[in-house]
Amino acid sequence: MKAASFDYIRAKSIDEVCSALNQGDGEAQIIAGGQTLIPLMAMRMSRPQTLVDINDIEELRGIEVAEKVAMIKAGTRQADVLSSIEIRNNLPILSEALGHVGHTQTRNRGTIGGSLVAADPSSEICLIAQLLDATMIAKSTAGTRSIPANQFFDSAMVTSLKDGECLMEIDFPIWNQKRTGFGFHETSIRDSDYALAAASAQIAIGGNNKCERVHLAVGGATPSPLRLNEVETALIGSVLDDSVIDDAVSLIPNLLEPQSDVHASAEYRRRVTCVLAARAIRDARDRAQGKFS
Amino acid sequence: MSAPQQFKYITKKRRVREDRRFVTGKGRFAADFKFPGMLHIAMVASPFACAKINSIDSSPALELPGVHYVLTGVELAANINPLLSGLDLPDVKRLPLANGRARYAGEWVAAVVADTRHIAEDAAELVAIDYEMLDFVIDPEEALQDTAPVVHPENGSNIFFDKTWTWGDVEGDFAKAEHTLALQAKWSRSSTVPIETFAVTASWDEGREMLDIWASIQMPKYPEQIARALQIPVTSVNVHFDVDVGGSYGLKRGIRQTVIVAYLTKKLQRPVRFIEDRLENMAGGEMHGPDRVFDMEVAYDEQGIMESLKITATDDCGCYPGRAPLQLGKPVSAIVGPYRIKSARYHARSVSTNKTSQEAVRGFGQAPTNFAIETVVDRIASTLNISREEVRRRNLIRSEEFPWRIPSGSEYDSGDYHAVLDKLMRAADWDKLIEKRNSFRNDGKLAGLGLSTCLEPSGGNSSFEPLFNPKNDTTTWMESCLIKVDMLGGICAMMGTSSSGQGHETLLAVSIAEVLERDPDSIRAIHSESVGALPSNSPVGSRMAIMLGGAAAGAAKKIKNQVIAIAAHNFQLPEDRLVYEGGDVYVKGDTERCLRWEQLVDIAHRQYHNMPIGSEPGLQAQHTWEVPTGGAMPKEDGTVQMYPCYAFEAHIPLITIDPGTGQVQIHDYYIGHDCGTVINPDIVRGMTFGGIAHGIGAALYEKFQYDESGQLQAGTFMDYLLPSAHEIPAVEMIKHHTPSPLTEFGQKGSGESGYLGAPAAIASAVNDALAPLGKSIATLPMRVRDLEELLNS
Amino acid sequence: MSKNSVHITVNGTAYKREIEPRLTLVDFLRDELDLTGTHVGCEHGVCGACSVIMDGRPVRSCLIYAVMADGHDFVTVEGLGSKDGSLSPIQDAFWENHAMQCGYCTPGMLIACHHLLEENPDPTEEEIREAIGGNLCRCTGYQQIVEAVKIAAQKIHGVNL
């Protein structure tokens, strides 16, 4: 299980990355943490001619939290985001989800941007990006552009990043409503396995106890994480008692086209996604109402 | 039964001496050996479940710089003998590389030899093979049909083995019975999957005419099998048994891999190494385990007393027979479990399919059989509405009944099953566990409490070999130890096998120390090279505590006798006037008249004038012994004594199932365990906990799943799921010690413990959780998808 | 393909080698530096047998190319004990409690546990299991490993258990 040969460039700047990608003619690839890419290369399912290592680039690392947005540089290690108090305080759902990503040892190398670019269907980070409408900022020799999450994930392992583009930063919106809560549930076979199905919700409750704002997204079950606007619409403006939630999630089966694999059937994923979505919504509601134990 | 022995070292906590090198990173595993000029192998594997190999063009691979050779199955087949089969199947040729026809996806077709493993993998992609796809069969039931494609056309059918034994009046007992029930239980293809893959380096020394081998090996008669395949004398094969083996649990047999490497080192006159990568290991390493369907029928009375048992076991052996079909044989040694069942019928079928082959897996077929029997016992309990523990109590053999002969001919040596079960239920506080289960249920969860009571036949009297193959008249299952006392009084003990974590060095040192009353830390234990080794049957069948411990004690007694004889000669007194203590010998009643160990050893080595007339110079002794109860061929009625010692274990897990997702969580786990005298408590604990973890894996997570096109879908650690520290609970072990009357210190085997009862116990717990819904499951593994689908059906 | 130069420090010793970029760190440690204590289990980042400490954090050495390790500092199992050969508390606890059988996953386990105790002097059972959750062991069922970490914690910090 040895990778095919490749050339290696350790880039010192973003410009160097962009020019190396440009010269690579589509055969050059960025490596950051390598926690997804290196196994694929070991099995020769991926064989880039050139690897451009971005680990030395300081400007690709760091977390900055402003009032309405948390800006995380793409090369920030998952472990550093997980241990960030600012993230835990302002984007608790991201902290929660990161606890489910791999193991300590892979989180110490794996980066936030790396997971997004890999776009694994079961990726928790992709799910949260989709849930919160994160914005990906990418740079190439042609310039910089922003890509909203709902235009970022094309299909399993495929994003809308173009050849030559380097993901620079991910901006996660922060909700400022006072009574905001989140819920995150996933089912995996072993504790740290890829999610067979996952669901996340973030809810803001108004003064009348009605749902003022809600985002719901599911992952693992479909090729890319999916926002479920129809379900959100069914929740918004209501007091979220269990029957309202159950009615809303009953819409989910028709919204999903899950995949089957060795670990779970499409039917399993469809059913379990509903279960997890209901749990995530309930947790989000309870947290928003300060009732979460 | 004799009174319990008092021990000085045995049974006491003692650090395991092997561990020191492991914690410092100084273990020496097969992949750690490097030699100048060493070449590396990567395998070319068939992508098809069955295909004719029309041609192999190696030239593009050979053009790559650093590539030395491409070995094909055709060349290898022309130059070696086929590998041994456990069954009498002369037309089924097992070869290390596919010859003309590849019979499963992942089967090795060619071996590429290069300067580095990287280059070998580059070149393996360039070997051009013209395949012609053929029909294949994946499902064993389908393989039994007349219309099915035949895996080995030369064999005429897909049946490797099909035989029925009837022991006792089965039909009569069924006819008389108040009740009968039938069920099917399935055990899917899983394995022990060690973290170290198989690795071997071989180096042919033309000057010495010697093939040196460093391998991660656990295989009886390994040097002999290599020599036979390569058509060279066994005296030209030197296996370095001091290689540390990174886990095996029965599995690391490696004959195919070794023959390839050995052939190539002779051919190329360079050391050659093959380390399976995980893909080669999982798909082509032929290391899968039993894959079995049990059709069970039981006759029992109103009280739940079992009278008779009928078992049909259909085992999907995969492609080649090897020793794997014999895994249907070991269960004959405990075919009725720990129960007083009077008669039994056993129909054992081994079927070939286009899958990778099975190899020996921890318990050698006993764990699946135990699971099937326990499923029957639980079903009787639920049918009669008697508690599961009560049904067991009524059926378990009673302590005063030992030795107990079961219908298939084996005599169980000793046990106190009721005492173990009682102790366990008390320690686990069964009633409290029921309360806890019920409170989970009240919270809306599915919760279940499991119970299993199972046997571990140990000692490796492997007389299933002649039972399953009349042409095989092996009845010798020996083990040896050679002890040398050096001129300065140091003791060195030698074994003729490698170890894969069993702590054999510690076992030897402690066993010898116990007899010679010397400090175990002063006794060195080593693994001989095979050319200098005494006969060994390697660590299989939970046998080494019994057999190697017994061999060591036997050799130590001979040393002790020699020392006493030397002292008697020098004191000019009869031996019965002398006392041996801690290596010194003094005159009874006069401790001043004493010859110390160092003096006695010095006499043996240097002072022939003080030695008894005609004695051998020096101080050394060997002991090779046959397994207790061994040495007999099966009788005509198919009865035979197998395994001498029977360890007993009872398990209680408490689990919950998430009704929404099918996820199982194990909350509590208790095991009651009796393997007789425990030589090293930490080793026995560890083996038992490890066996339970492996059993939890087999029950809930692990499966070598194939798809309809015959492709292995679980060929990596992302798809074949070994349980982690999150899935395995803390286990409380409740110990009981019923010594075996057959062994030196009363010990029984424990190398397979935990695994033999855990899958059955987990299944029992899951079914207890499902019972309120009127549902049940008898197929392992019970994966999340299986349970969720069952709950939603 | 080209060769690249790598300067790294392992267990306090500086090394320099010219290597192919495709060499993983674990292969580099074993084959170029003869530090065979770090083991290869799966080569795709699941089993944890190849765990080493990189700049103070445990990582999988099969998921780093050695060229990427240029300029970094590593500790392997060979570097856990003292130079005089005495064992570190976690090594000694593993030995004392027989927290292994075959010894193959042991180096990776030790790395994970060593780091845990540096970060968390008195870990709970759950925290220990979390720390070793990415290290597979097929022999022990993890129990004696978990116990050994508790023993080591007690030894290091004098915690009364």
Side-chain angles (χ1 to χ4, degrees), chain A residues 94-235:
Chain A
L94 182 60
S95 306
E96 175 74 16
L98 278 167
H100 294 267
V101 176
H103 308 282
T104 307
Q105 295 166 29
T106 57
R107 290 194 295 262
N108 281 336
R109 288 294 295 167
T111 63
I112 294 291
S115 287
L116 287 163
V117 173
D120 191 287
S122 57
S123 161
E124 292 87 354
I125 296 170
C126 295
L127 174 62
I128 301 306
Q130 187 73 283
L131 175 82
L132 295 178
D133 269 338
T135 302
M136 290 9 117
I137 298 167
K139 190 173 177 185
S140 69
T141 50
T144 302
R145 68 175 180 129
S146 296
I147 312 162
N150 62 10
Q151 291 167 30
F152 186 76
F153 302 106
D154 278 358
S155 63
M157 322 298 276
V158 182
T159 69
S160 59
L161 281 180
K162 296 178 188 143
D163 283 344
E165 276 187 323
C166 172
L167 181 61
M168 302 277 296
E169 180 180 310
I170 305 93
D171 293 350
F172 290 91
I174 295 171
W175 291 15
N176 297 113
Q177 287 90 342
K178 201 170 169 202
R179 298 174 72 195
T180 296
F182 73 88
F184 179 89
H185 279 268
E186 74 169 40
T187 291
S188 57
I189 296 178
R190 293 174 302 184
D191 187 75
S192 52
D193 278 323
Y194 290 110
L196 302 176
S200 59
Q202 190 149 293
I203 288 172
I205 302 273
N208 50 6
N209 256 354
K210 287 186 176 160
C211 174
E212 195 174 275
R213 188 180 181 193
V214 56
H215 283 202
L216 175 70
V218 296
T222 50
S224 301
L226 207 60
R227 268 287 291 282
L228 298 176
N229 304 105
E230 292 87 342
V231 183
E232 293 171 3
T233 307
L235 295 168

Side-chain angles (χ1 to χ4, degrees), chain B residues 204-354:
Chain B
W204 172 253
D205 180 342
E206 188 65 41
R208 285 159 61 231
E209 294 186 319
M210 188 66 84
L211 178 70
D212 284 289
I213 296 172
W214 297 263
S216 49
I217 196 72
Q218 179 201 351
M219 180 70 183
K221 305 184 178 84
Y222 175 70
E224 291 84 350
Q225 292 191 63
I226 301 306
R228 201 185 296 230
L230 292 173
Q231 303 160 352
I232 58 176
V234 181
T235 51
S236 284
V237 176
N238 192 25
V239 181
H240 294 259
F241 284 131
D242 59 349
V243 173
D244 291 313
V245 180
S248 175
Y249 333 97
L251 202 68
K252 295 253 179 85
R253 303 302 172 113
I255 300 293
R256 295 161 63 232
Q257 294 89 331
T258 308
V259 169
I260 292 168
V261 169
Y263 175 81
L264 284 165
T265 182
K266 283 196 77 188
K267 173 104 191 172
L268 304 175
Q269 298 286 312
R270 300 261 296 261
V272 177
R273 166 203 270 189
F274 175 48
I275 303 172
E276 290 174 342
D277 72 11
R278 191 53 65 182
L279 298 172
E280 286 164 332
N281 174 256
M282 302 287 267
E286 298 191 356
M287 43 67 89
H288 294 186
D291 186 352
R292 215 167 271 190
V293 178
F294 294 93
D295 289 294
M296 310 289 290
E297 280 181 82
V298 63
Y300 58 102
D301 70 11
E302 188 60 26
Q303 299 303 307
I305 307 288
M306 292 183 280
E307 311 282 355
S308 185
L309 189 63
K310 295 181 192 171
I311 301 177
T312 294
T314 306
D315 194 64
D316 177 354
C317 178
C319 190
Y320 296 103
R323 274 182 74 77
L326 299 177
Q327 296 192 86
L328 286 163
K330 175 169 178 174
V332 172
S333 70
I335 199 68
V336 292
Y339 306 115
R340 309 161 83 245
I341 300 174
K342 286 185 296 193
S343 63
R345 173 172 297 167
Y346 186 43
H347 178 195
R349 281 193 299 196
S350 178
V351 182
S352 58
T353 59
N354 293 102

Side-chain angles (χ1 to χ4, degrees), chain B residues 475-550:
Chain B
T475 60
T476 307
W477 291 286
M478 81 311 279
E479 204 55 52
S480 310
C481 178
L482 167 65
I483 300 176
K484 297 192 313 180
V485 182
D486 64 46
M487 206 162 73
L488 302 182
I491 301 170
C492 183
M494 279 162 270
M495 65 191 116
T497 181
S498 48
S499 301
S500 42
Q502 302 93 336
H504 295 144
E505 294 167 34
T506 305
L507 167 67
L508 276 191
V510 171
S511 301
I512 292 165
E514 190 66 43
V515 174
L516 291 179
E517 302 168 32
R518 305 287 296 170
D519 178 2
D521 290 339
S522 74
I523 299 171
R524 175 171 279 269
I526 65 169
H527 299 81
S528 295
E529 296 178 347
S530 69
V531 284
L534 296 169
S536 164
N537 209 39
S538 92
V540 297
S542 279
R543 67 194 293 276
M544 290 314 240
I546 295 167
M547 294 303 299
L548 186 60

Side-chain angles (χ1 to χ4, degrees), chain B residues 393-426:
Chain B
R393 281 211 177 86
R394 291 177 190 176
N395 282 282
L396 288 170
I397 299 159
R398 299 172 193 291
S399 62
E400 65 276 14
E401 294 174 324
F402 290 96
W404 173 270
R405 187 181 186 277
I406 63 168
S408 56
S410 285
E411 200 171 82
Y412 295 170
D413 57 329
S414 68
D416 194 344
Y417 305 159
H418 291 86
V420 176
L421 184 56
D422 289 345
K423 248 179 164 172
L424 170 70
M425 306 265 303
R426 267 201 309 277

Side-chain angles (χ1 to χ4, degrees), chain A residues 1-5 39 42-44 47 186-194 196 261-265 267-268 271-272 275-276 279, chain B residues 117-118 121-122 125 277-279 658 660-661 663 701 705 713 716-724 726-727 783-785 788-789 792:
Chain A
M1 220 188 272
K2 310 294 183 193
S5 283
M43 294 179 204
R44 300 197 175 195
R47 35 207 316 165
E186 74 169 40
T187 291
S188 57
I189 296 178
R190 293 174 302 184
D191 187 75
S192 52
D193 278 323
Y194 290 110
L196 302 176
D261 63 21
V262 63
H263 298 303
S265 63
E267 275 314 302
Y268 175 90
R271 282 194 298 262
V272 170
V275 170
L276 298 177
R279 290 178 185 176
Chain B
R117 168 78 193 196
H118 294 75
E121 286 193 30
D122 295 342
E125 294 182 322
D277 72 11
R278 191 53 65 182
L279 298 172
D658 182 330
T661 67
Q663 281 173 305
Y701 305 106
Q705 173 104 35
Q713 292 183 297
T716 72
F717 276 3
M718 292 190 238
D719 302 311
Y720 188 93
L721 306 177
L722 307 178
S724 78
H726 291 293
E727 285 70 49
R783 298 167 298 180
V784 290
R785 61 180 299 179
E788 192 272 350
E789 280 160 20
N792 277 289

